[in-house]
Each structure stands twice: as structure tokens, then as C-alpha cells.
């Protein structure tokens, strides 16, 4: 019965999403893997995803042992695999192990959620983030090693991994998200590295089998009141011995009563020059190596590097009328010279200079250009055939006489006009470059003379709008009001990764909400064909949705259809009501007020496009929508 309910819940949840299906699939090591293209321009990238329109449409789509390649061939192009997409392996209960290539940098939200059969996973050092609920419910995992490239562990990342008995958190992690290890009842000990500065709500809640905790941080990380709820506060709690008073006075850490001070060594790398002596921490050493110094609770492990003193020889050339003044020298005749200087490591070194003095020359250049070009090399600026003379510098940089015998060849021109978005790679008509500004470019298709085909490109670079910022969700009486900041000409609003609506204003009213249902919103700005990156994602559950009855209130909208004006009459009002006119995408067109005394409203639609519009009447006694047809 529980399994049936779980499947029913998954199907209902899947219907509420409208995630894009896979773009293509490919077989690797005998397994079919599905991909979404995340960048179709060089360098091309993809993310691993699921089959079909919904993540839960096909349970156990992936099974057994899976290996993710670093790149995949599709339609004649290689795409680099850079991420495990959201919900990519969700509910794959028959998945037993997975190996991820070093090209992957992120593991998305719910990527392996409820993969209860997963017993082994290899996370490469390329991964920097583990997303929200990435491994929630992976009860088959017994241990996992997080690579030292990861800096944050997302909320609920390993929640309810009840089989997890050990976890290695690297010194690169600075924050442990809310509920990250909530319900990991198999954990017996944890070590928090000194890099961690914050631990979220319920991060280790109900890890009731913990028999010891070690925190290597000298300053207690910020924790919440329930970060260790359900964990015995009398178990051994190991902290740096000099930090016991700090932990005893720190909020919520003070609840642990069995703190034990231990020596936490400080690792230091230092260097000296060859022949010098290192004297810090009471040392008196002159050779490279690893040394340990102990003073009470203090412990320093020193990695001493001895930098060599160099004896280098520089080969340099000058012209006969110049002086060489680099590296402490000041000489103008050929010869071998010596100077005592400091190397890049600050060590005294000997620099030898082998100086060559070059003479000047008188050369004649035979050159060819096309008829629409100007010859500008070697100090010349000419565009007609002829014989010219210029006083220039030779390849050795010395003053010389250069003669130019110039030949002008005919050309053929082709002109193109095109547009791209700022930062986009342009690779048409033989061009291959990225530009942030509009400009004029020329491409020579080389023939015998190099002039038979010249392609001119007048490229217009359209601005890419700023990524929307300051995304805010405000709960209104019967809707969510979403606002943001950006410079786009229009915006696409996404709800739960579903494209919800398009608007030209940085505000959107979402009336299609259900009481208690969580919603996650993000926004993308549009300027013509140019799109910004997604804004940050903001999630919120609607609480207290009013169920407003419109008893004893009557409404009339006429004429309907209309192409000019329509009148709205509302009888039975006891207080003012808001009248909101919006299109079918939810974009607000106009808004009015109506009251019990003046209960008639004229709505002018003469400037509206033809179509269907929503007229919403709303206060604490009525929440009614009427359809108005504009012809």
C-alpha cells in the first residue's frame, strides 16, 4: 500500500512539472544515458538528465552500474558533460553504483533522490557544489567521500541516508546546509573541518547513533538551535584545547557537556634561501623538510622549502647606438658581464650578460596587396603600385633603410549583415570570434593572390540584458506578487522550472496558487533574441488562501463581446473592491477601484489587442473572475 501511495504521489508531482525532455541519448559502456544540451555554441556542453517529459515518468530508467563520460558525440559535434541535472536519477531504485567523470562540476538538486539501491558513488575533484536533496533517501549508501573541491553542501543533500556510517567532509567546505545529514541514523562519528563557518538548521538532526563529534575549527562555527536535535549532548565532543572556553560560551555549542580538548596542528609552508637559517617557533634549521613544534596546546607542522641561488646567463642584443640597461646592467659594447641580483624568491643570484651589438641594414621588400587595401607594414602607408623608401627598424630593432616594391592585385568583395547577442560566438562565413561590441570585419579567403574573395561582415552586437536580481515573493490576499530588478524589454517567469508567463514589467501576479503548496520562482530577462541568465530561485509556500464566497453579490459585464467600452456593475458590496484587468498570461493591463456607493465602472478597451481578458473582482467578500472578449 505504501509503495502504491509513493508511486501515486510521484505521478501527481510529475504532472505538476513541465520539465523539458531529453535532447538526445547515447550509449556508454553498454548503458543508455540521456542528455540535455546546455550550450550549443563552442565550447558545447550538456547535462545528464532523464528520459521523457517528467523525472518520475519512468521509474528505474537507470539501473545497475552507470559510468558518466567526460564528453559525448552528437550530430557530428562533441559536447562536454559538465553537470548531473536536477532529478536526473531520481527514484532509480535499481541503480547500484555510479562513476562520474572529471568534467562534471556540479550535481543538481534531487539528482539521486530516493536511489535506495545505490551503494557506491565516485565524486570527482572537479565537483564544486552538491545541490539541494541531491542524495536524499539513498539508504543504501554506507560511506561517501566528498572531494576537496566542494565548498558547500546543499540543503537536505544527504537527508535520511540511514545506511551512511561514515562521511568525509574536506577542509574546502565552508558551509553545511540545512538538513544536510538529517536522519542519517547510521552515523557514529563526524569530523567538522576548520574551514566550516556555518551549520544550517537540522543539519545533523536525529543522528542519534553519534558517539562522538570532532570540531577542528578554532572559532566555533555558527549553528542553529536544532542543528543537532536528537543527538545526545553528553557524548565526547573534541575541540582544539585552547578553544574549550569559546565553545562553552557559544550559543547551542554550550549544550554539549563533555568537551575534550585536543591538539589541532597548524600547517605552515615557508621558504628560505640556500645558505640561510629558519628561526621562527624557536627553530634553527637550514635544510628542506617537514618539522613539528609543540608548545602546550599549540602544535605547528612546518613544511620548509629551501630556494636555490641561481647563476643565469642572459643572451641580449642591442643596436650599435643603444645602451643595455636591464637587470642592473648599463653597457653599450658587445661582451660578457656579471651582476649580483635577487631572484623572484628574494635570494641573491648571479646574472651573467652576453651582449651582442647589431648593425643596421638597407633592404628591399617585394610586396603584394589587394586593390581595396593599404600596405601599412614596415612604416609604410600606401595603396598604389610603385617603389617607396622608408627609414625603419629591422627584425633586430635597429634603424635601417627599407625599400618597398609594391604590387596591387584586384579583389572581389562580398558584403554580409548579421546580428548576435553580446558574448555569443560568431562562426558564419568563415569567421570565428566572440565580440561584445558591434563592428566591421573582413575575412580573406586565400587564393593564389589572396584577393579573389574578400568577405566583409557588418556585425551588430545586441546587448544581453542583466540577470534579474532582487527576486521577491510577496503573499497577497489571494495571489503571489513576484517582483525583481533588471533592464530587459520583457521577462519570462518560471514556476517550478515551468515557463509560466511572459511580461514586459518587472512584476507578475500569480493567482493560480494552492494553499500550503510550495512554489519556486525564477526569472529570465529578454532583449529581442538575447536572453540573460536565470535569476536566483526563490521558493515560498502559500499560507492562508482565502476561500471567499460571493453570496448576495451579483455582477454584470456588458456589452460582451465589445471593441470599445464595457460596463461592470457589482451589486451587494459592503466594502471597496479591486478590479484587475489582465491578459491570459497573467499580465496586469489596468487596475481600478469600485465601492458600494459608486458600484458601476466603465472599462475602456479600445486600445486593447483582440483576444480574451480576465476581469477580476476582489475584496474580503468576493473573489470572482469574468471573461471579456475584445473584438
Amino acid at each position: 500500500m505504501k509503495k502504491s501511495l509513493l508511486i501515486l504521489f510521484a505521478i501527481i508531482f510529475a504532472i505538476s512539472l513541465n520539465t523539458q525532455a531529453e535532447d538526445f541519448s547515447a550509449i556508454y559502456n553498454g548503458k543508455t544515458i540521456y542528455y540535455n544540451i546546455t550550450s550549443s555554441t563552442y565550447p558545447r556542453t550538456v547535462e545528464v538528465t532523464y528520459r521523457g517529459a517528467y523525472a518520475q515518468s519512468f521509474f528505474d530508467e537507470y539501473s545497475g552500474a552507470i559510468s558518466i563520460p567526460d564528453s559525448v558525440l552528437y550530430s557530428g559535434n562533441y559536447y562536454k558533460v559538465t553537470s548531473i541535472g536536477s532529478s536526473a536519477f531520481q527514484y532509480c531504485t535499481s541503480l547500484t553504483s555510479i562513476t562520474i567523470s572529471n568534467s562534471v562540476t556540479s550535481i543538481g538538486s534531487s539528482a539521486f533522490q530516493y536511489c535506495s539501491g545505490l551503494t557506491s558513488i565516485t565524486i570527482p575533484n572537479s565537483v564544486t557544489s552538491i545541490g539541494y536533496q541531491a542524495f536524499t533517501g539513498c539508504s543504501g549508501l554506507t560511506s561517501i567521500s566528498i572531494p576537496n573541491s566542494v565548498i558547500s553542501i546543499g540543503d537536505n543533500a544527504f537527508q535520511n541516508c540511514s545506511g551512511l556510517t561514515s562521511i568525509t567532509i574536506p577542509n574546502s567546505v565552508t558551509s553545511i546546509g540545512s538538513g544536510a545529514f538529517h536522519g542519517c541514523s547510521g552515523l557514529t562519528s563526524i569530523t567538522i573541518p576548520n574551514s566550516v563557518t556555518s551549520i544550517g538548521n537540522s543539519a545533523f538532526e536525529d543522528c542519534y547513533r553519534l558517539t562522538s563529534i570532532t570540531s577542528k575549527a578554532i572559532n566555533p562555527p555558527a549553528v542553529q538551535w536544532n542543528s543537532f536535535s536528537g543527538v545526545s549532548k553528553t557524548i565526547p565532543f573534541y575541540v582544539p584545547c585552547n578553544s574549550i572556553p569559546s565553545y562553552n560560551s557559544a550559543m547551542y555549542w554550550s549544550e554539549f557537556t563533555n568537551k575534550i580538548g585536543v591538539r589541532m596542528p597548524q600547517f605552515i609552508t615557508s621558504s628560505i634561501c640556500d645558505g640561510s637559517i629558519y628561526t621562527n617557533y624557536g627553530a634553527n634549521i637550514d635544510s628542506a623538510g617537514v618539522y613539528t613544534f609543540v608548545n602546550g596546546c599549540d602544535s605547528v607542522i612546518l613544511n620548509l622549502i629551501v630556494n636555490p641561488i641561481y647563476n643565469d646567463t642572459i643572451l641580449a642584443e642591442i643596436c650599435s647606438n643603444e645602451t643595455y640597461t636591464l637587470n642592473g646592467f648599463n653597457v653599450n659594447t658587445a661582451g660578457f658581464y656579471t651582476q649580483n641580483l635577487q631572484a623572484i624568491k628574494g635570494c641573491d643570484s648571479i646574472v651573467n650578460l652576453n651582449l651582442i651589438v647589431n648593425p643596421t641594414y638597407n633592404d628591399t621588400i617585394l610586396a603584394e596587396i589587394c586593390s581595396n587595401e593599404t600596405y601599412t607594414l614596415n612604416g609604410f602607408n600606401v595603396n598604389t603600385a610603385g617603389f617607396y623608401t622608408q627609414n625603419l627598424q629591422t627584425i633586430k630593432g635597429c634603424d635601417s633603410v627599407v625599400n618597398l616594391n609594391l604590387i596591387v592585385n584586384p579583389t572581389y568583395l562580398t558584403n554580409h549583415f548579421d546580428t548576435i547577442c553580446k558574448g555569443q560566438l560568431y562562426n558564419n562565413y568563415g569567421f570565428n570570434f566572440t565580440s561584445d561590441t558591434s563592428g566591421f570585419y573582413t575575412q580573406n579567403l586565400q587564393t593564389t593572390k589572396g584577393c579573389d574573395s574578400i568577405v566583409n561582415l557588418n556585425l551588430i552586437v545586441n546587448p544581453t540584458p542583466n540577470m534579474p536580481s532582487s527576486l521577491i515573493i510577496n503573499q497577497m490576499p489571494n495571489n503571489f506578487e513576484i517582483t525583481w530588478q533588471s533592464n530587459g524589454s520583457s521577462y519570462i517567469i518560471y514556476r517550478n522550472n515551468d515557463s509560466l508567463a511572459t511580461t514586459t514589467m518587472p512584476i507578475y501576479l500569480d493567482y493560480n496558487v494552492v494553499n500550503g503548496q510550495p512554489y519556486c520562482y525564477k526569472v529570465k530577462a529578454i532583449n529581442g533574441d538575447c536572453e540573460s541568465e536565470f535569476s536566483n530561485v526563490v521558493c515560498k509556500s502559500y499560507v492562508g488562501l482565502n476561500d471567499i464566497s460571493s453570496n448576495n453579490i451579483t455582477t454584470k459585464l456588458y456589452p460582451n463581446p465589445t471593441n470599445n467600452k464595457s460596463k461592470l456593475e457589482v451589486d451587494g458590496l459592503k466594502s471597496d473592491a479591486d478590479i484587475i484587468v489582465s491578459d491570459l498570461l497573467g499580465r496586469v493591463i489596468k487596475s481600478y477601484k469600485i465601492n458600494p456607493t459608486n458600484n458601476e465602472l466603465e472599462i475602456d478597451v479600445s486600445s486593447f489587442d483582440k483576444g480574451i481578458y480576465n476581469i477580476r473582482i476582489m475584496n474580503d467578500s468576493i473573489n470572482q473572475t469574468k471573461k471579456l472578449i475584445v473584438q
Side-chain angles (χ1 to χ4, degrees):
M1 179 64 179
K2 289 183 179 179
K3 184 174 182 182
S4 298
L5 289 175
L6 178 62
I7 294 173
L8 177 60
F9 169 77
I11 293 173
I12 294 173
F13 181 72
I15 293 173
S16 70
L17 299 174
N18 187 20
T19 310
Q20 180 182 350
E22 81 282 357
D23 290 323
F24 67 93
S25 63
I27 297 176
Y28 184 72
N29 286 347
K31 299 284 187 177
T32 300
I33 302 176
Y34 303 92
Y35 300 95
N36 269 336
I37 297 175
T38 53
S39 175
S40 58
T41 58
Y42 183 84
R44 299 175 178 86
T45 58
V46 294
E47 67 176 7
V48 177
T49 187
Y50 43 81
R51 184 184 71 170
Y54 307 109
Q56 295 87 357
S57 294
F58 300 95
F59 288 90
D60 288 340
E61 181 60 45
Y62 296 101
S63 62
I66 298 291
S67 294
I68 305 299
D70 59 0
S71 62
V72 61
L73 180 63
Y74 172 65
S75 191
N77 293 308
Y78 277 98
Y79 290 78
K80 188 176 182 181
V81 183
T82 58
S83 62
I84 306 298
S86 298
S87 305
F89 295 90
Q90 191 177 35
Y91 289 102
C92 290
T93 57
S94 297
L95 183 68
T96 58
S97 69
I98 186 157
T99 301
I100 304 173
S101 69
N102 281 323
S103 62
V104 172
T105 60
S106 65
I107 298 176
S109 60
S110 303
F112 297 94
Q113 188 177 28
Y114 299 122
C115 292
S116 57
L118 183 63
T119 60
S120 172
I121 184 168
T122 300
I123 302 177
N125 283 328
S126 56
V127 172
T128 60
S129 63
I130 298 176
Y132 167 72
Q133 291 187 342
F135 294 93
T136 292
C138 292
S139 57
L141 282 176
T142 58
S143 66
I144 191 166
S145 179
I146 300 173
N148 57 17
S149 56
V150 173
I151 61 176
S152 64
I153 300 174
D155 293 350
N156 308 103
F158 297 93
Q159 184 180 17
N160 293 331
C161 291
S162 56
L164 199 62
T165 59
S166 66
I167 183 77
T168 300
I169 303 175
N171 204 43
S172 58
V173 172
T174 60
S175 63
I176 299 175
S178 297
F181 299 96
H182 184 187
C184 292
S185 57
L187 284 176
T188 58
S189 65
I190 56 171
T191 297
I192 302 169
N194 59 19
S195 58
V196 172
T197 59
S198 65
I199 300 174
N201 286 308
S202 303
F204 294 96
E205 185 175 354
D206 291 337
C207 295
Y208 54 82
R209 286 195 175 90
L210 280 174
T211 59
S212 69
I213 300 174
T214 299
S215 177
K216 294 185 177 182
I218 295 175
N219 297 314
V223 293
Q224 307 302 316
W225 68 272
N226 59 353
S227 295
F228 290 91
S229 290
V231 177
S232 172
K233 301 303 186 294
T234 62
I235 62 175
F237 181 27
Y238 300 97
V239 299
C241 53
N242 283 333
S243 299
I244 290 180
S246 299
Y247 280 86
N248 281 336
S249 61
M251 184 175 293
Y252 309 126
W253 289 120
S254 59
E255 298 175 2
F256 289 91
T257 60
N258 188 14
K259 298 183 182 70
I260 302 172
V262 295
R263 182 177 292 115
M264 302 291 184
Q266 180 183 4
F267 295 90
I268 295 176
T269 297
S270 188
S271 63
I272 59 174
C273 297
D274 191 11
S276 300
I277 297 177
Y278 186 85
T279 58
N280 291 342
Y281 306 102
N284 188 18
I285 51 180
D286 60 0
S287 58
V290 178
Y291 303 88
T292 300
F293 305 96
V294 179
N295 181 13
C297 280
D298 294 330
S299 176
V300 175
I301 298 177
L302 169 68
N303 178 26
L304 184 62
I305 300 171
V306 177
N307 295 314
I309 295 176
Y310 294 97
N311 189 329
D312 292 335
T313 297
I314 299 172
L315 178 63
E317 298 180 57
I318 61 173
C319 299
S320 57
N321 60 345
E322 295 178 337
T323 299
Y324 185 86
T325 58
L326 301 177
N327 303 302
F329 293 98
N330 189 1
V331 292
N332 57 14
T333 58
F336 189 86
Y337 304 90
T338 299
Q339 186 77 253
N340 290 320
L341 298 175
Q342 282 192 340
I344 192 171
K345 299 294 186 180
C347 301
D348 292 335
S349 299
I350 297 174
V351 179
N352 301 308
L353 171 64
N354 185 9
L355 183 64
I356 298 172
V357 179
N358 294 311
T360 60
Y361 298 92
N362 189 323
D363 292 332
T364 297
I365 298 171
L366 177 63
E368 297 182 54
I369 62 172
C370 300
S371 59
N372 62 339
E373 295 177 341
T374 299
Y375 185 89
T376 58
L377 301 178
N378 304 300
F380 292 99
N381 190 358
V382 291
N383 57 14
T384 57
F387 189 88
Y388 304 90
T389 297
Q390 186 74 257
N391 290 321
L392 297 177
Q393 289 184 339
T394 64
I395 192 171
K396 299 296 186 180
C398 301
D399 291 338
S400 301
V401 176
V402 178
N403 301 307
L404 171 64
N405 185 8
L406 183 63
I407 299 172
V408 178
N409 295 311
T411 61
Y412 300 92
L413 297 178
T414 303
N415 297 311
H416 295 281
F417 297 84
D418 216 338
T419 60
I420 60 171
C421 296
K422 184 177 180 180
Q424 180 181 346
L425 176 69
Y426 186 84
N427 57 6
N428 292 333
Y429 310 114
F431 295 93
N432 193 316
F433 63 92
T434 300
S435 177
D436 291 339
T437 58
S438 300
F440 185 82
Y441 304 89
T442 297
Q443 178 77 13
N444 292 319
L445 303 181
Q446 295 293 325
T447 61
T448 303
K449 297 297 183 180
C451 298
D452 289 344
S453 180
I454 297 178
V455 180
N456 293 324
L457 171 65
N458 189 355
L459 183 65
I460 297 175
V461 179
N462 292 321
T464 299
N466 296 336
M467 179 183 73
S469 61
S470 303
L471 186 65
I472 298 174
I473 301 175
N474 293 317
Q475 180 171 324
M476 308 304 286
N478 288 284
N479 64 284
F480 273 148
E481 178 190 76
I482 303 99
T483 62
W484 60 90
Q485 295 181 3
S486 182
N487 63 346
S489 60
S490 62
Y491 307 92
I492 302 176
I493 299 97
Y494 291 79
R495 186 178 76 179
N496 295 343
N497 289 326
D498 175 20
S499 177
L500 181 62
T502 300
T503 179
T504 58
M505 300 295 292
I507 183 172
Y508 180 75
L509 303 180
D510 187 1
Y511 291 97
N512 188 21
V513 292
V514 178
N515 192 35
Q517 177 69 40
Y519 299 94
C520 292
Y521 296 87
K522 60 184 178 180
V523 178
K524 176 185 288 186
I526 306 294
N527 273 342
D529 293 330
C530 300
E531 299 181 356
S532 73
E533 296 180 1
F534 280 112
S535 69
N536 59 307
V537 178
V538 178
C539 299
K540 193 169 184 178
S541 295
Y542 201 103
V543 179
L545 182 66
N546 295 330
D547 184 12
I548 299 176
S549 173
S550 59
N551 291 337
N552 301 322
I553 298 177
T554 59
T555 61
K556 182 191 299 184
L557 182 65
Y558 63 94
N560 189 8
T562 183
N563 60 3
N564 187 14
K565 295 180 180 180
S566 185
K567 179 176 288 187
L568 174 66
E569 295 180 0
V570 183
D571 293 324
L573 284 176
K574 299 186 184 309
S575 61
D576 292 354
D578 293 313
I579 310 300
I580 298 173
V581 182
S582 62
D583 61 18
L584 292 182
L585 295 178
R587 295 176 294 191
V588 175
I589 309 300
K590 287 186 177 182
S591 61
Y592 304 89
K593 288 279 190 180
I594 196 169
N595 56 60
T597 302
N598 186 12
N599 61 351
E600 293 184 0
L601 175 67
E602 185 178 79
I603 301 174
D604 186 357
V605 298
S606 59
S607 63
F608 286 20
D609 293 332
K610 294 181 180 180
I612 300 175
Y613 294 81
N614 291 321
I615 311 298
R616 191 176 185 88
I617 307 114
M618 182 176 60
N619 67 5
D620 56 357
S621 299
I622 183 172
N623 182 6
Q624 187 178 119
T625 299
K626 287 185 169 294
K627 300 294 184 181
L628 175 61
I629 300 174
V630 177
Q631 295 179 332

